[in-house]
Each structure stands twice: as C-alpha cells, then as structure tokens.
Amino acid sequence: MSGLTSSFINNFIEVLEKKPKVLITTHYNPDGDAVGSSLALYLFLKAFDVDAKVLVPNDIPDFLMWLSGSEDVVNYKQDTEQGLYLIKNAEAVFCLDFNVLSRVILFEDELLKSDATFFLIDHHLDPADTFNHVYSEQNVSSTSELLFNLLIEVENKLQKKIINKAIAENIFVGIMTDTGSFAYSCNNKETFIAVSKLIDYGVDVDKAHKKVYDTYSENRLRLLGFALSSNLKVLPQYNTAYIWLSRNDLKRYEYKQGDTEGLVNYALSIKEVCLAVLFVEREDRIRISFRSKGDLSVNIIASKYFGGGGHKNASGGDSYKSLEETIKDFEDILPLLENEIKTALSDFNK
Ligand code: 5GP
Ligand code: MN
C-alpha cells in the first residue's frame, strides 16, 4: 500500500511537462471503473497536449460507450496491430484498476518487454513490484476515486483548472459502478465528498445512472431471468448460492460483453447467503466471480483455489476444467469453508 505521495505527484507532473508518448491501459473485461478512470486520465492528459492513448484488452461494454473519449479507445482484440504499435512506442504506461500485469491477459509479455516508465493507480490488494511509480490504496471505493484525488492535487500544485464535466462524468461512473451504486466499498465519507465535487462539475447523477443501468438489451434481461430461475443453486448448509451459465446459455441469449455484470450479486441478495458465486463458461476457461458478506475473504478463496484474487468481498478467478468439474471442485471446497462462512454470517448479522 502506498498512498498518494508527493513523489508520485511530481512524477505525474513531469509527464505533463515532458509529454512522453503515454499508453493508458487496464484489465481484461474492462468494467466501469477501469474504463471511467482510463478515460478521465486520457482527457486530462489530452488537455495538456500529451500524446496519450487508451488501450483495452477486449470490448468495452455497450453501457459505457456513451462516455467521453470512449470513441478513441483502441481495442487490442479487435485491432492487435495498432495495440502492439502503441505498446512498442509507449514511453510512459499508466496501469489503471489492476495490480499485476497478467490481468491484461492478452499483452502481458509485450508490456514486460517495454522499457517505458510504468505508473500504477489501483485499489486492489497486493500490487506487484513491477511498477516504477505506485499509487495504490485498498480502502478506497475505486481507482476512479484515487485518480480524482490525484488530479485535484495536480491542479492545485499547477494552479490550473482542467477537470471538466466530461472528466467528472467518467470518474463518477467509475465510482458508481465499483460501489454498486453506492451500496458497498463506500463506507468512507471521502467517497461522498468526491461525488459532491463531481456534481459541482456538472455530473447529472440521474442521467448517468440511467445511461449505465437502464440500457439493457431485451436479451440481457432475459438472460438474467433465465439464470435466476433455471441456473441458481442454493446450498443452505453452507450459506452459499451459485449461478452457472454454459456457452449454450450465452449463445441462446446472444451474450455480449458486460451482460453478466452484476448477476452474481443477485445470488448474494438472499438473506441467509454469505458466499455467492457465478460460473461462466468462456471459450477457453471457466470465469468465476465471487462475492461475500462481512468478513468472509473471497480473495483468499479465489487465489488459493482458482488462480485469481481481488477484494475481500468481490473477487474473480479461473478454472480450466469443464463447467461441471469446476462446480464440483467448488462444492468440494465448501466443507473446508463451512466454519468461516458461519462465523462471517453471524458477525455480519449482529
Ligand atoms: P468480477 O467478479 O467483477 O470479475 O471481479 C470482481 C473483483 O475481483 C474485481 O475488482 C476484479 O478486479 C477482481 N478480479 C477479478 N478477477 C481477478 C483475477 O483473476 N485476479 C485478481 N487478482 N483479481 C481479480
Ligand atoms: Mn475497480
């Protein structure tokens, strides 16, 4: 953990002054925080005439494509040649909303080959030591909130006003989505102070919320309905519920990137459930999302058994077995977790 140091601020200001070629990148399956923070930084750097580009590993969900700057983003999966070119030519790389380079999945090796200066702005546990300049805090809602703190400090130091409505909207969407619309990871009043400042910059909370959450396709809503009615299993003995989606299920509902976002939270919404899991069968792996209540650390479960990690109450991992085998592996682990789950739930209910 290293908070916002004056050396980080100074190194950032050096980027604004020396104007190296900047690459901003984020994790695979970029979410609202990943995209919001990347675009906010992009727009801020552009205001200083820094030659910056945002490179995402794969598709940005449609519900984020209204954000300013999203039209300029390079998608590595769709435009690999351009992505490789950007990585090769970058002199400074900003890694946002992830803690280890492997989370970009598709171009980790290329990043490792780069001799650019690497900046990390992130709120996940255990940042890797491969970054030159690190601003990492775990007890903060989102990377977007961290970025906002940084940009305010930079503005103060330079005595300039750069943050505008477009930048504020990106930051707001990052905070809103990473807190499930201010439901979790926002017990610090600083998050709400940040949001009140963002409103001063012109963010329309109602509108931003509707643009992100009330823009489902019919298929996405039906996939949600199907998952909850047909593919939800509740295990009362372990206070656990899980949902699974096979490749066929995804195909039937014409799955698009982002369509399963938030789905796992429905499993956690059952009163007696403390551990919720979503298994999604992708082309080459089973993607697993974990959520928990209270002190149950799903990041430990994700890293110990499924090569992943994340936050205490929200983590992800992968399995390279079949969907059935992965679910069986998970069910086999539950007896080992039973006591921990029971303790966490009873503490939570106090
Ligand atoms: P999600 O379930 O929404 O994909 O991920 C939940 C949280 O866990 C996110 O904050 C995400 O950054 C983190 N996370 C997801 N997958 C992984 C993973 O494979 N490794 C690590 N270290 N973190 C992950
Ligand atoms: Mn985040």
Side-chain angles (χ1 to χ4, degrees), residues 27 31 33-34 97 122-124 141-143 178 311:
H27 58 80
D31 57 12
D33 188 29
D97 200 40
D122 180 49
H123 67 134
H124 293 93
S141 69
S142 54
T143 298
D178 250 28
H311 312 278

Side-chain angles (χ1 to χ4, degrees), residues 201-341:
Y201 285 110
V203 170
D204 183 332
V205 172
D206 265 43
K207 209 165 168 180
H209 193 280
K210 285 191 174 58
K211 282 185 172 180
V212 171
Y213 293 108
D214 295 347
T215 50
Y216 276 37
S217 63
E218 181 180 339
N219 271 321
R220 180 176 174 186
L221 196 65
R222 292 197 186 280
L223 176 67
L224 166 66
F226 166 78
L228 297 182
S229 68
S230 302
N231 287 12
L232 167 71
K233 185 164 176 183
V234 182
L235 302 166
Q237 186 191 347
Y238 300 111
N239 303 98
T240 293
Y242 65 80
I243 296 169
W244 69 97
L245 289 171
S246 70
R247 240 178 307 178
N248 260 345
D249 299 334
L250 298 180
K251 206 166 139 205
R252 182 166 151 205
Y253 293 98
E254 295 174 24
Y255 169 83
K256 287 182 75 185
Q257 180 61 40
D259 281 358
T260 57
E261 197 83 38
L263 181 54
V264 64
N265 295 312
Y266 287 95
L268 195 66
S269 69
I270 300 170
K271 189 173 182 193
E272 293 303 325
V273 166
C274 187
L275 171 62
V277 187
L278 170 67
F279 300 92
V280 181
E281 187 180 19
R282 302 234 185 264
E283 293 123 55
D284 60 334
R285 68 184 72 199
I286 309 299
R287 181 73 199 148
I288 315 171
S289 286
F290 299 91
R291 297 292 185 272
S292 68
K293 287 174 186 158
D295 271 338
L296 183 67
S297 297
V298 282
N299 56 313
I300 296 173
I301 302 172
S303 71
K304 193 165 170 187
Y305 301 104
F306 298 103
H311 312 278
K312 183 164 92 176
N313 296 126
S315 292
D318 296 291
S319 157
Y320 296 88
K321 296 185 180 174
S322 70
L323 185 57
E324 291 71 23
E325 286 170 313
T326 303
I327 292 175
K328 180 167 186 317
D329 282 354
F330 172 70
E331 289 206 12
D332 287 344
I333 294 163
L334 287 174
L336 308 173
L337 301 171
E338 190 174 358
N339 288 337
E340 205 181 324
I341 294 173

Side-chain angles (χ1 to χ4, degrees), residues 15 20-25 85-95 101 110-120 130-133:
V15 170
K21 285 194 174 60
V22 170
L23 179 70
I24 301 164
T25 193
Y85 173 85
L86 291 174
I87 298 169
K88 201 159 167 259
N89 284 280
E91 294 164 309
V93 176
F94 281 82
C95 297
L101 289 181
E110 283 68 27
L111 289 177
L112 285 169
K113 275 186 236 153
S114 162
D115 50 17
T117 303
F118 277 70
F119 289 76
L120 176 73
T130 45
F131 304 95
N132 301 92
H133 307 298

Side-chain angles (χ1 to χ4, degrees), residues 33 140-142 145 172-187 191-192 213:
D33 188 29
V140 173
S141 69
S142 54
E145 186 181 335
F172 177 78
V173 166
I175 299 176
M176 175 181 74
T177 52
D178 250 28
T179 59
S181 299
F182 307 98
Y184 45 79
S185 308
C186 55
N187 259 344
T191 304
F192 293 92
Y213 293 108

